[in-house]
Amino acid sequence: MKSGRYEAVDALRGVIMMIMAIDHASAFIARQHGSEFWAGALSAYDSAFPFLTRWITHLCAPGFFFLMGAGAYWMLAAWRESGRQDGAAVKRLAWRGFAIFAVAQVLELPVLFLTTQLKPAAVSLSRTTAPLPNDGSSLLWGFITLTGLGLVLISCAALLRLAPGWWLGVSAACTVATHVLLPASANPGTWWNALLLAPGLAQHLLVLYPAIPWLGVAAAGMYFGFWWKRDSEKAEGQVWLVGLVLLAVGVALRAYGGLGNIRPPRDGGWIEFLNNVKYPPSLVFSTIAIGLNLVLLWVLAKLPTAVRGPRSPLVVFGQTPLFFYLAHFYALAASAFLLFGEAGSLELAYAVWAAVLVALYPVCAWYRRFKMGKPRESLWRMF
């Protein structure tokens, strides 16, 4: 660790951002995007390439919510070390959550509506035989990725006032609630039920990342941050074991079936075994994804310093996640509308993805310098 930062964690966050961009390149360029809802829409695949393109990106949402929770605790610890009161850190995190929520409505949501104007692919690489959970209303507004992150970060700020052991209790309670309280039918019910628990379209509002399930992931991340902070060098050497345990739990729950799955495999193939519910995240989905993230964190910590040094693309993207998220969204949208009127292949989507990453590296490096040059209390440091 240098300058109060964990380089391997920044690098992991950068990997998450880069992998996430694969999913969005697929959606914008190839017009292919999987669905893994608790009811209704659940994509099926006839070949490995489109499935693995989607599956690898499942590392992203659990990994980012998990690291966001860890980062909330690390911020509190840093403010304590500088002699500041806990209340100041709690207030700062809450305002950051509100800022992310506002950015979602102003800058993220327009891109969602833009995607509805793209000409769909002539041949879909996955099959979805049912619509996403809905109450039959039309789409007028959406709460998607950043909205979920903002609301969960506000909740994490409130949890910082509790002892770390409580964070595991909150995580467990949220996970149980996710599996027990989902509606019996493919109707999310009221808009607030969709916002809190059951994603889908309800009363004209589309929700993808409800607060309670993802707070379960973030609260676990808060405790992970506490565990890591106590002895970061020791934790860095042991994190692979935690990751393997989570992986084993996820695989065992999937093999056994029942609680933790939300929806069982539709056949005995390996694709269906790995094709788990993301909206909201099942326990199988979360444990496998977070387990892989932690193993990857251990690998990154063992790689040469250049891989996680300040000029590494992984670290540059990992230290500017919100800026990268918005910039890559608009870059891909512009590419889709200006250069690719027709849907392209997945191979073309990967090529555009790589080009966008190359183009965004100097832009994100500039923004990092700009942001880090501002005082800690600056509004820019929230982003």
Side-chain angles (χ1 to χ4, degrees):
M1 185 177 73
K2 299 176 182 178
S3 303
R5 299 198 67 95
Y6 301 113
E7 294 93 341
V9 174
D10 282 334
L12 175 59
R13 193 181 295 110
V15 171
I16 289 172
M17 303 309 294
M18 294 170 68
I19 294 175
M20 172 201 64
I22 295 174
D23 195 43
H24 298 152
S26 175
F28 278 106
I29 307 303
R31 319 288 203 260
Q32 307 284 344
H33 193 272
S35 298
E36 302 88 17
F37 279 86
W38 57 276
L42 180 63
S43 295
Y45 301 84
D46 296 321
S47 59
F49 184 40
F51 170 72
L52 291 175
T53 295
R54 174 63 174 171
W55 184 80
I56 189 63
T57 67
H58 289 336
L59 295 176
C60 301
F64 203 84
F65 276 92
F66 188 80
L67 290 181
M68 184 177 74
Y73 174 75
W74 290 332
M75 178 181 173
L76 175 68
W79 282 48
R80 284 175 174 172
E81 291 170 357
S82 66
R84 302 191 180 204
Q85 297 295 317
D86 288 5
V90 171
K91 182 178 179 181
R92 178 71 173 179
L93 280 171
W95 276 113
R96 181 178 289 179
F98 281 115
I100 293 173
F101 181 90
V103 167
Q105 311 316 306
V106 177
L107 296 178
E108 181 189 35
L109 191 59
V111 183
L112 170 67
F113 287 112
L114 276 175
T115 61
T116 65
Q117 307 302 314
L118 291 171
K119 186 176 180 180
V123 178
S124 177
L125 300 178
S126 64
R127 294 174 283 107
T128 303
T129 58
L132 58 80
N134 70 90
D135 63 356
S137 63
S138 57
L139 172 62
L140 296 180
W141 203 255
F143 283 173
I144 46 178
T145 310
L146 292 183
T147 300
L149 285 166
L151 292 176
V152 170
L153 185 56
I154 294 169
S155 302
C156 287
L159 291 180
L160 285 177
R161 296 188 180 276
L162 302 177
W166 284 97
W167 303 337
L168 287 179
V170 169
S171 178
C174 290
T175 302
V176 171
T178 298
H179 286 76
V180 172
L181 299 180
L182 285 172
S185 66
N187 184 346
T190 59
W191 67 267
W192 55 265
N193 193 52
L195 185 63
L196 292 176
L197 181 69
L201 179 62
Q203 297 177 309
H204 308 289
L205 176 68
L206 174 64
V207 178
L208 294 185
Y209 293 87
I212 290 175
W214 291 103
L215 178 59
V217 176
M222 292 174 69
Y223 189 84
F224 172 81
F226 167 72
W227 171 74
W228 184 281
K229 177 67 176 176
R230 286 187 301 181
D231 189 340
S232 60
E233 291 187 5
K234 182 178 179 181
E236 196 173 86
Q238 295 178 342
V239 70
W240 66 272
L241 181 59
V242 180
L244 288 182
V245 169
L246 288 173
L247 270 172
V249 169
V251 170
L253 286 173
R254 188 59 167 170
Y256 181 76
L259 184 66
N261 285 266
I262 298 182
R263 297 176 71 165
R266 290 166 292 191
D267 59 47
W270 66 272
I271 288 180
E272 274 299 301
F273 187 88
L274 295 175
N275 194 20
N276 297 300
V277 173
K278 177 182 179 181
Y279 306 106
S282 66
L283 182 58
V284 170
F285 181 90
S286 297
T287 50
I288 290 177
I290 295 172
L292 288 172
N293 270 285
L294 295 183
V295 172
L296 181 56
L297 176 59
W298 178 78
V299 171
L300 289 168
K302 298 299 180 182
L303 291 178
T305 305
V307 177
R308 45 191 170 84
R311 294 186 178 182
S312 165
L314 303 183
V315 174
V316 170
F317 295 148
Q319 292 181 351
T320 57
L322 180 57
F323 183 84
F324 174 89
Y325 179 84
L326 294 171
H328 98 282
F329 236 152
Y330 278 87
L332 287 171
S335 299
F337 281 97
L338 299 178
L339 302 177
F340 304 104
E342 301 288 335
S345 64
L346 270 182
E347 291 82 0
L348 177 62
Y350 273 96
V352 174
W353 165 74
V356 166
L357 292 185
V358 171
L360 287 185
Y361 174 77
V363 180
C364 290
W366 167 83
Y367 181 75
R368 182 181 63 173
R369 291 192 300 271
F370 170 79
K371 180 181 72 169
M372 295 302 183
K374 302 297 180 181
R376 179 177 291 178
E377 295 77 12
S378 170
L379 178 66
W380 292 106
R381 294 295 289 266
M382 287 192 177
F383 303 103

